[in-house]
Amino acid sequence: MADTGGPTTVERIDPAAITGFPVVGLGASAGGLAAFEEFFSGVPAHAPTGMAFVLVQHLAPDHESRLVDLVRRRTTMEVHEVEDGMTVEPDHVYVIPPARTMTLRGGRLRLQTPREPRGHRLPVDVFFRSLAEDQGEKAMCVVLAGTGSDGTLGVREVKGCGGLVLAQDPETIEYGGMPRNAIATGMVDHVLTPAEMPARLLRYAGRDPHVTPPGPGAVSAGDEGALDQVFKLVRTRSGRDFTHYKRNSIRRRVERRMAVQQIGSLEEYARYLEEAPEESEALFRDFLIGVTRFFRDPEAFAALAETGIPLILQDRQGGSTVRVWVPGCSTGEEAYSIAILMRERMVAAKVHAKLQVFATDIDKRAIETARSGTYPASIAEDVSAERLERFFTSVDGGASYRIRKDIRDLLVFSDQDLVSDPPFFRLDLISCRNVLIYMGAELQRKLIPLFHFALSPGGILFLGSSETVGGHADLFTTLDRTAKLYRNSPDRPGAVRQALGPLAAAHRRRPPAPVGEHRATPGKDGAGPSLRERVEHELLAHHAPVAVLVDARGEILYLHGRSGRFLEPAAGEVGMNILSMARDGLRQELTIALHQAVTHDGPVHRGDLRVQTNGHRVPVRLTVRALSTGPADGARRDLYLVVLDTDPGEAAPGRTRPRRVAGGDPEAPGGEPVGAGGGTDSRVAVLEDALRAKEEYLQAVQEEMQASNEELRASIEELQSTNEELQSTNEELETSKEELQSVNEELATINTELETKVTDLSRVENDMNNLLAGTGIGTVFVDHTLRIQRFTPAATELLNLIAGDVGRPVGHLTSRLVAYDRLAEDTEAVLDTLVPREVEVRTEAGVWYLLRIRPYRTLENVIEGAVITFTEITELKEARATLEGAAAERRLAVVVRDANDAVTIQDLDGRIRAWNPAAVRIYGWTEDEAIGMSSLELAPPDTHEENRAMLACLAAGEAPDPFRTRRSTKDGRVIPVWVTATALVDEAGKAYALATTERVVGVAVPEEAP
């Protein structure tokens, strides 16, 4: 179980602090407003969710956020801007205020003022971490749109405590940095669109009424058979066995995957594992989840620096090697932390030893992350500014930090199973923190002796705060009980057997390798290596040539075989360079061969070399061959394999092999020449002198070359110093870039808010325009200088307005109003007195309007102009006229009723509309009979033309003079009458009826009607 650096968050949670409902943290940066709106559009509108939602966004500190208003439009839940100490409740939404960071403690939201500059604020990481610590397995986090890597470390914390992690699909958004970095951790459970997330959260939390998800206790002690099947499937796919890990932890991880996949029983989940290989990989990743970060538990690291490391460096000689092993290193933060700490202490103590850190884990993906040495910018929460500047380089535009190469080169990362693979040996420090807590008691009892065996006497064991050496206290001395620092005791009888026994047993029980991995066939008895393995081991140990892996400068990376016959440490601080360690007779040819191998393609061979070994010279064959490989940091690196092999006829110690000399026969074993005279001896002496002179010359050349190399090295150091200055300047520029990027994110957020506001204003303007146009009320807005600002279409029917008239004074307009030309004066008077004014006006077409002029007031009660409206009141005027006419007619009726003359009212077609009692007496028709009759029926035929002329005259608006004519009575009599006609007109002066008064001339009239 890969976990590093301090106790897991699960161990630190106070159960009393966990709320009884899930808390969902949503983090976003640039582009987050649209994501928030889309997310809450997918939340059920009226059904309770039973969850609380906390929104964390990068906000400009000096800008008022509209996020609360935007979310309120998308949800029926109560939305609050957080105040310090606010209690979290279900079915509520909480929004972080500007210029604050926020944490969750004991179910309450706490606000802090950030101390970091703009570019280093990581509010999403801060909240996600506190969410994991406060809520444990109930924690849920969502990473939405945004730039940078904020939220990445928080995702690790939430996943480490067993919570759920969702991320927005980065391919569907403009700003995909935050979700992309979160996905890269491998700890995101689902990648969805924001609209799909609420349904997934509800199902996972058991709030979906249509789905019954598994809850805590879904995997019970009675499911051991199904759980063993799960272990078997994971072991088959990954090659790793989790059988002896703590069952409670394993059950929680299995239950979590069942909840993610919405599977109710363990048997069903086991069948799903068989059908879906990718789920086995996901479960394997969940088993390996480790909560790690740089310098986790600072107090423990401080104790290591003050107590443990000084013991390691005590009496350390120059040229020696300090060896450190970090098993279960996860993504490498703890291994790099220890390397940085060791480097700092070695510099402070002026110890010039070589540091070598081995970091191992069974998670290959985590190892790849560790090898790259690249981490999100949010590590600034855990690493001091001084260490960031000294040991890290800002990359990806400030979104990430990368460990400097001089630190990365100190570490070797490898894939290793702590339980079944062999350990490292002769170690000065083992840091195995929070790995043992996931293992059962049996594994812990076997690993502690293994650590004792791997450590050198006096070496340091560094465990997590929840781990101890248990029943093996006799193997270690406690240095710091709180920090869990132990010092290795000297070997005692049986300690080696105690350590190696479990290791051998673990090898015998080692699970089958994944498909495609080959292993040697064991012996027939199954208890030891096969005959082939034993033969191969013997050949490699005693008959294989010596091989040395070096780089282009001759630095030794790996040794194979008994190299002491050809190499020996040189005096001084020379390190591990093969050219400096080569024995006499090998150094010169090795230097030339390595140079040729570096500058030319193909292997280089040198034969019949005479190497000084143990007081005599040994014939040696030399081969240098180039190899190409890729190191931990991912860059190409050329390596060279140096092979040293003795000739087949090499003499044993105390013997000399016959050798040929120029012009002579082989020497006899005793060194005496065969068949040679004294001239041969002199010739040999001359040749040896010449050879010695050449060797001295070559030695001088080599020394000159080394001096030149020293000068070049000094120049390189000066260039490196210049480069560091440039790097410092570049880091300052990177810091400025980070701040600009942060400002850009805030501007993007503000821009999104402004876009939303513009959209709202546009919608409101459209609503107002449609409202004003729909009412048909002519409206004109003018400013305080009486210049037209805008107008409605209905106003163009009264004033001669076109679109180009905006900005013109209202007094310059011509209107279609009759007898009204005081519009500008009345408007100015309203602005001066602030008293509204109303005037009834009429158009040339006879349409009446009520003209209102009122001051234009803003929300701040500032007068910025006037509003002129025209409301049509024609029907109102006609109704009023009708009412007034009816009243007048009622008054007239009293007079007409008592008159002695016949009084009638006719419409313009001559139809009788009124008939008084005198007309009944004179003509004989009752009122009911007369109403509706044509006036021509009362006149003899020869008088019809003069009656028509009278009607035409009245319709034309002319009043005819009184005239004499004749009328017919009901009983057939014709009587002479004197007629006075008058036109009845409306307020517009238009005739709509006529009234006649007819007096009988010279004829007696009955006093009462018949």
Side-chain angles (χ1 to χ4, degrees):
M1 193 70 71
D3 186 18
T4 62
T8 62
T9 54
V10 177
E11 302 296 332
R12 294 208 308 265
I13 295 172
D14 179 8
I18 301 178
T19 59
F21 51 88
V23 178
V24 183
L26 295 92
S29 175
L33 292 179
F36 285 137
E37 287 188 294
E38 186 178 351
F39 177 90
F40 284 102
S41 296
V43 176
H46 302 292
T49 64
M51 297 186 289
F53 301 90
V54 183
L55 277 57
V56 183
Q57 187 182 23
H58 292 185
L59 300 172
D62 53 354
H63 178 74
E64 183 179 354
S65 174
R66 297 186 66 248
L67 184 56
V68 172
D69 296 331
L70 292 175
V71 174
R72 279 176 178 159
R73 298 189 315 184
R74 300 291 182 179
T75 181
T76 57
M77 293 184 287
E78 293 188 29
V79 183
H80 311 274
E81 185 171 83
V82 175
E83 298 178 357
D84 189 35
M86 183 175 285
T87 302
V88 176
E89 298 180 15
D91 293 300
H92 286 66
V93 181
Y94 303 90
V95 179
I96 186 173
R100 293 288 187 273
T101 56
M102 182 169 59
T103 57
L104 183 64
R105 293 286 183 267
R108 293 178 178 271
L109 294 170
R110 301 293 183 180
L111 298 178
Q112 299 87 28
T113 301
R115 295 172 296 178
E116 301 82 1
R118 243 177 177 156
H120 297 279
R121 296 175 186 169
L122 303 167
V124 180
D125 266 329
V126 170
F127 181 75
F128 282 1
R129 283 183 176 184
S130 69
L131 177 65
E133 294 174 2
D134 192 78
Q135 297 299 305
E137 296 181 356
K138 288 184 178 293
M140 302 182 192
C141 69
V142 178
V143 181
L144 297 174
T147 60
S149 59
D150 192 13
T152 302
L153 294 183
V155 162
R156 293 178 182 273
E157 299 278 351
V158 172
K159 192 66 178 290
C161 73
L164 182 71
V165 179
L166 305 182
Q168 186 173 0
D169 186 353
E171 302 301 326
T172 62
I173 51 179
E174 180 180 359
Y175 304 100
M178 282 177 55
R180 190 172 286 110
N181 280 296
I183 294 170
T185 64
M187 297 189 178
V188 173
D189 294 301
H190 298 287
V191 179
L192 306 167
T193 64
E196 297 170 331
M197 292 177 177
R200 181 71 63 175
L201 292 171
L202 289 171
R203 286 198 296 270
Y204 180 81
R207 309 291 174 170
D208 190 336
H210 305 291
V211 179
T212 304
V219 182
S220 62
D223 295 324
E224 291 298 322
L227 192 59
D228 289 339
Q229 178 67 16
V230 170
F231 287 147
K232 180 180 178 182
L233 292 171
V234 174
R235 183 170 64 247
T236 302
R237 299 257 162 74
S238 68
R240 308 297 183 184
D241 188 7
F242 293 92
T243 304
H244 296 290
Y245 282 69
K246 285 186 177 178
R247 287 301 174 103
N248 288 338
S249 298
I250 293 296
R251 286 192 185 100
R252 285 199 301 269
R253 304 293 167 131
V254 173
E255 288 172 355
R256 183 188 174 282
R257 290 305 309 173
M258 291 170 60
V260 170
Q261 298 298 340
Q262 297 296 297
I263 296 176
S265 67
L266 187 59
E267 291 79 6
E268 185 181 352
Y269 183 68
R271 289 193 297 270
Y272 179 70
L273 281 177
E274 293 180 354
E275 300 168 358
E278 66 278 2
E279 179 62 22
S280 296
E281 178 70 14
L283 181 59
F284 175 66
R285 299 294 171 203
D286 270 20
F287 285 166
L288 298 181
I289 288 174
V291 181
T292 179
R293 58 178 185 250
F294 284 94
F295 301 99
R296 183 165 185 149
D297 286 346
E299 296 81 6
F301 273 90
L304 176 64
E306 299 297 330
T307 305
I309 295 180
L311 292 175
I312 295 174
L313 301 181
Q314 184 177 7
D315 300 329
R316 181 69 60 170
Q317 300 295 325
S320 61
T321 302
V322 177
R323 293 164 57 87
V324 179
W325 182 26
V326 184
C329 67
S330 188
T331 48
E333 286 91 332
E334 181 190 340
Y336 284 120
S337 299
I338 290 180
I340 290 171
L341 202 61
M342 292 291 296
R343 171 63 66 86
E344 290 176 340
R345 291 298 166 177
M346 292 172 73
V347 171
K350 298 181 180 179
V351 174
H352 302 287
K354 183 179 179 181
L355 176 62
Q356 201 169 31
V357 181
F358 305 98
T360 62
D361 200 281
I362 63 176
D363 187 351
K364 294 181 179 180
R365 290 174 56 179
I367 288 294
E368 290 302 318
T369 301
R371 281 177 178 156
S372 70
T374 303
Y375 298 95
S378 48
I379 64 172
E381 287 286 316
D382 305 310
V383 184
S384 67
E386 188 273 333
R387 281 174 172 159
L388 281 176
E389 182 179 359
R390 183 178 177 187
F391 300 108
F392 293 81
T393 302
S394 180
V395 295
D396 298 333
S400 304
Y401 285 104
R402 190 176 189 184
I403 302 286
R404 289 187 182 274
K405 189 176 186 300
D406 60 333
I407 298 296
R408 293 204 313 276
D409 289 345
L410 301 176
L411 287 91
V412 177
F413 291 97
S414 63
D415 175 19
Q416 183 208 43
D417 192 334
L418 179 62
V419 176
S420 57
D421 291 331
F424 295 87
F425 299 104
R426 298 190 302 277
L427 299 167
D428 298 290
L429 171 64
I430 296 178
S431 176
C432 184
R433 311 192 69 228
N434 298 298
V435 177
L436 300 179
I437 59 173
Y438 294 106
M439 297 181 177
E442 180 181 354
L443 286 180
Q444 292 187 24
R445 286 194 300 269
K446 294 175 181 178
L447 287 177
I448 295 299
L450 186 67
F451 291 156
H452 168 76
F453 176 69
L455 283 168
S456 299
I460 304 299
L461 177 62
F462 189 25
L463 299 179
S465 60
S466 299
E467 300 167 335
T468 65
V469 294
H472 302 285
D474 56 332
L475 300 179
F476 295 92
T477 301
T478 303
L479 293 178
D480 190 319
R481 190 173 303 278
T482 302
K484 304 300 180 181
L485 280 174
Y486 302 91
R487 192 175 191 186
N488 199 26
S489 301
D491 289 338
R492 61 179 180 81
V496 174
R497 183 172 62 256
Q498 184 181 5
L500 296 182
L503 180 61
H507 275 285
R508 288 194 296 270
R509 293 192 305 272
R510 188 168 186 171
V515 178
E517 183 176 338
H518 176 72
R519 294 188 181 274
T521 304
K524 293 182 179 180
D525 57 357
S530 66
L531 294 178
R532 188 188 73 182
E533 290 176 333
R534 296 176 62 183
V535 171
E536 289 176 351
H537 183 271
E538 185 70 18
L539 291 175
L540 289 173
H542 299 285
H543 300 281
V546 173
V548 186
L549 184 65
V550 300
D551 61 13
R553 296 181 300 172
E555 295 295 333
I556 297 176
L557 303 177
Y558 182 79
L559 286 170
H560 172 76
R562 301 171 61 186
S563 60
R565 294 175 294 169
F566 312 111
L567 306 176
E568 64 177 351
E573 298 180 6
V574 296
M576 294 288 287
N577 190 285
I578 192 172
L579 301 179
S580 301
M581 298 175 63
R583 290 182 179 271
D584 186 27
L586 175 63
R587 182 179 300 114
Q588 184 173 325
E589 292 295 337
L590 177 58
T591 303
I592 297 172
L594 180 59
H595 177 70
Q596 291 179 349
V598 172
T599 56
H600 301 83
D601 293 332
V604 179
H605 302 280
R606 291 287 185 273
D608 201 21
L609 303 182
R610 310 292 291 182
V611 180
Q612 183 72 27
T613 302
N614 297 328
H616 67 280
R617 290 186 178 272
V618 177
V620 175
R621 289 196 302 267
L622 168 66
T623 302
V624 182
R625 179 179 294 106
L627 299 177
S628 295
T629 184
D633 59 6
R636 180 183 173 85
R637 186 178 182 185
D638 292 329
L639 303 180
Y640 302 88
L641 184 66
V642 178
V643 181
L644 300 169
D645 191 11
T646 57
D647 282 342
E650 178 185 351
R655 294 181 54 193
T656 58
R657 179 188 172 196
R659 63 182 178 88
R660 291 185 179 274
V661 296
D665 295 328
E667 294 181 349
E672 295 294 333
V674 178
T680 303
D681 291 338
S682 61
R683 178 61 174 167
V684 170
V686 170
L687 291 176
E688 288 180 349
D689 291 341
L691 179 60
R692 189 177 300 108
K694 289 182 179 180
E695 288 180 349
E696 292 175 355
Y697 171 75
L698 289 175
Q699 182 67 27
V701 171
Q702 184 176 358
E703 290 176 356
E704 291 179 2
M705 186 173 62
Q706 289 178 349
S708 300
N709 287 338
E710 291 295 333
E711 294 177 359
L712 289 175
R713 188 174 294 109
S715 300
I716 290 174
E717 290 176 356
E718 292 179 0
L719 292 175
Q720 286 178 342
S721 177
T722 304
N723 182 62
E724 289 177 0
E725 293 178 1
L726 294 175
Q727 184 66 30
S728 177
T729 303
N730 183 60
E731 290 174 359
E732 292 177 1
L733 293 175
E734 288 288 351
T735 301
S736 301
K737 185 177 181 180
E738 291 173 10
E739 294 183 0
L740 289 176
Q741 180 179 351
S742 177
V743 172
N744 183 58
E745 291 180 5
E746 295 170 357
L747 290 176
T749 301
I750 294 173
N751 183 59
T752 304
E753 291 186 355
L754 292 177
E755 287 179 355
T756 304
K757 185 180 294 186
V758 168
T759 302
D760 293 343
L761 290 176
S762 177
R763 186 181 298 111
V764 171
E765 183 177 10
N766 290 333
D767 293 344
M768 291 301 299
N769 288 337
N770 282 278
L771 174 63
L772 293 175
T775 59
I777 298 175
T779 307
V780 180
F781 297 89
V782 298
D783 61 14
H784 61 279
T785 63
L786 304 187
R787 293 185 179 274
I788 298 173
Q789 300 301 303
R790 66 172 57 192
F791 54 85
T792 62
T796 60
E797 299 177 4
L798 303 168
L799 305 174
N800 295 318
L801 286 168
I802 59 175
D805 288 332
V806 174
R808 290 181 58 190
V810 71
H812 292 183
L813 300 178
T814 60
S815 68
R816 299 185 178 91
L817 302 178
V818 177
Y820 182 77
D821 56 0
R822 303 185 310 277
L823 182 59
E825 290 81 357
D826 289 349
T827 304
E828 188 170 0
V830 169
L831 291 176
D832 290 340
T833 63
L834 302 182
V835 177
R837 181 165 296 193
E838 295 183 356
V839 181
E840 292 184 357
V841 295
R842 181 170 58 86
T843 65
E844 298 169 347
V847 181
W848 285 89
Y849 289 89
L850 177 62
L851 169 62
R852 288 192 178 98
I853 306 175
R854 296 179 178 274
Y856 183 98
R857 297 178 185 271
T858 66
L859 294 176
E860 292 78 19
N861 201 30
V862 177
I863 305 300
E864 291 189 352
V867 181
I868 304 170
T869 59
F870 295 88
T871 306
E872 185 179 356
I873 58 171
T874 302
E875 294 183 357
L876 180 62
K877 291 286 288 184
E878 291 179 350
R880 187 186 302 164
T882 302
L883 292 175
E884 292 176 353
E889 288 178 358
R890 284 194 295 272
R891 291 193 296 269
L892 182 61
V894 175
V895 177
V896 170
R897 185 177 293 110
D898 296 336
N900 293 321
D901 298 331
V903 179
T904 64
I905 296 178
Q906 306 172 21
D907 58 22
L908 298 181
D909 293 331
R911 295 289 177 182
I912 297 174
R913 298 304 180 193
W915 188 263
N916 73 337
V920 175
R921 292 195 305 270
I922 295 173
Y923 299 119
W925 280 283
T926 65
E927 184 176 5
D928 292 338
E929 293 173 337
I931 296 300
M933 291 176 56
S934 174
S935 60
L936 296 179
E937 296 181 21
L938 300 177
D942 59 343
T943 63
H944 287 179
E945 284 301 324
E946 60 183 21
N947 278 285
R948 290 193 182 96
M950 177 189 66
L951 292 173
C953 182
L954 292 172
E958 299 178 1
D961 296 331
F963 63 94
R964 185 169 176 166
T965 185
R966 290 173 296 158
R967 294 281 187 256
S968 297
T969 64
K970 182 177 182 181
D971 55 6
R973 295 180 296 113
V974 177
I975 57 177
V977 295
W978 188 263
V979 179
T980 301
T982 303
L984 301 180
V985 297
D986 56 19
E987 291 185 358
K990 186 176 180 181
Y992 64 89
L994 62 93
T996 61
T997 301
E998 300 177 0
R999 179 177 295 177
V1000 179
V1001 180
V1003 178
V1005 179
E1007 293 183 359
E1008 295 181 0

